[in-house]
Structures are given as structure tokens and as C-alpha cells.
Amino acid sequence: AGGLAYWSADIDAASANYGAAVAMARALGDDAELANALYNLFFARRPASNTEEWYDLMRESDTSLLDEALEIWTRLGDEQGMGRALWGLSEFHAYRGEAEEAESAVSRALEIFERVGDPFWVSWSRFTRAFGRVLRGDIVDAAADFMPTLREFWASRDLSGVTLVVAATSTMLLLEGHEVEGYQVAGAEGRLIASTGIM
């Protein structure tokens, strides 16, 4: 229920349901479920009625939920979980404009996902790192992450992922002063959204 609410942008309901999941996992003494519930709750740890309030939530200097999840997953030897917690920390730092900390966390996550062979999380970790590099002006390294990510999203038919990479590429081109190409790529993004109904 929390996941359905979160991905429907109902952060109030997501917060309530994710909070209930944490309480239930604690009551059952199930550490694996608790770590997963803590990870989920981090992204909706209090109600937020609009996008700006959610951005404010993500910028708040409280990583205790992710820290606890990471500690549990580390103790359990759950590398997949450890990678997810590190990815979450990278998002936290990115929203706060802490580029070096964000890249460090997502690079550690990427190493884990590459080691365990999880193509979905490899792609999302590369995308996260690449977009942070775009915002820092590190275009060469961003492109080095975007290109394999685009191929992987396309191969897995992850249309939302393809759309996000195309949108980020448009942003990258515009930031570099390539306006014509940037708007052309943005047009491709718009066409993809219109023809697939994605987003």
C-alpha cells in the first residue's frame, strides 16, 4: 500500500503505510523486513502535500532511517540492501547540493550492484551519478555513464528510464550551450512521452 501510494505521488498515504510497516517489522523482530521498511519510509518519513514539500523533506538533515537500514543490511550481509541504502544516501546528498558526497555514495552502490549483477540497479545508479555530474559540469564523465545506461534501459525496454536519460541528455546539451541540439533531444523526449504515455 505504501509503494502504491508513493508512486501515485500520495506522500501522506505513503508515509502512513510505510510507518506502519516499520512498526510491524519491529514488533515481529524481522530485521530484513525492518531494513526494507526503513529504507522505504526514508523517502516519505513525514507527510508532504506537494512537490516542493517533498523536496524540503528530502533536504532535511536526517539520515537516521537509512543509517539504521544500512547497519542492519551490513550485519545481515545483504549486499543488495547495502547498495540500495547507499543509493538512497546519494539521493539525500544530491538534493542538498552535496555533489562529492552524493557521487561517493552512488559510486559505492554501483560497485555493489555490478558485483552482484543487478542490471536494474546498475542502470539507475549510473543514471544518478551521471545526472549529478551534469549539474557539476563534468560532461565527459556524465556522458560515459549515460551511454551504457541508455543502452541498458533500451535493452530491458524500461521506457521510463529511456525517457529520463533522453531528458537528462537534453539538459546536458543546453547547459553546454548547444541549444539547437538540446531542444532537438527535448523534442525526442516529448515524442516518446506522447507516443507511449509514460510519465
Side-chain angles (χ1 to χ4, degrees):
L4 289 171
Y6 181 81
W7 291 108
S8 298
D10 185 348
I11 302 302
D12 293 2
S15 182
N17 284 291
Y18 283 153
V22 168
M24 185 176 293
R26 286 197 196 281
L28 293 171
D30 188 328
D31 280 351
E33 287 296 329
L34 175 59
N36 190 61
L38 291 164
Y39 168 84
N40 287 332
L41 182 59
F42 172 77
F43 296 96
R45 55 192 181 275
R46 65 167 172 74
S49 59
N50 56 51
T51 303
E52 282 306 313
E53 287 184 9
W54 185 80
Y55 286 156
D56 289 342
L57 163 68
M58 289 299 293
R59 294 185 192 108
E60 288 175 358
S61 58
D62 179 8
T63 60
S64 58
L65 295 169
L66 281 182
D67 294 339
E68 186 179 357
L70 181 57
E71 183 278 322
I72 293 169
W73 274 323
T74 302
R75 178 164 39 82
L76 295 177
D78 183 340
E79 288 196 294
Q80 188 84 14
M82 292 162 61
R84 289 171 61 211
L86 288 165
W87 181 86
L89 285 168
S90 77
E91 288 283 283
F92 163 77
H93 288 299
Y95 278 104
R96 290 167 58 85
E98 297 163 352
E100 289 184 14
E101 295 89 339
E103 180 156 341
S104 174
V106 77
S107 294
R108 289 169 60 201
L110 180 57
E111 288 173 11
I112 291 172
F113 294 131
E114 287 177 331
R115 184 169 59 250
V116 301
D118 186 323
F120 174 85
W121 277 106
V122 165
S123 297
W124 279 109
S125 296
R126 276 205 194 112
F127 173 82
T128 301
R129 186 171 70 178
F131 199 71
R133 288 173 168 178
V134 168
L135 297 179
R136 279 203 342 258
D138 185 358
I139 301 304
V140 172
D141 286 337
D145 271 341
F146 274 143
M147 292 310 99
T149 302
L150 182 58
R151 285 194 297 270
E152 289 157 7
F153 280 146
W154 182 255
S156 64
R157 296 298 185 257
D158 184 337
L159 292 178
S160 62
V162 169
T163 304
L164 286 170
V165 174
V166 172
T169 302
S170 170
T171 299
M172 181 170 64
L173 289 165
L174 291 170
L175 288 173
E176 285 295 287
H178 301 290
E179 290 192 6
V180 172
E181 295 86 349
Y183 287 120
Q184 286 173 334
V185 174
E189 173 202 353
R191 176 77 179 269
L192 183 59
I193 292 170
S195 62
T196 64
I198 201 74
M199 294 185 172

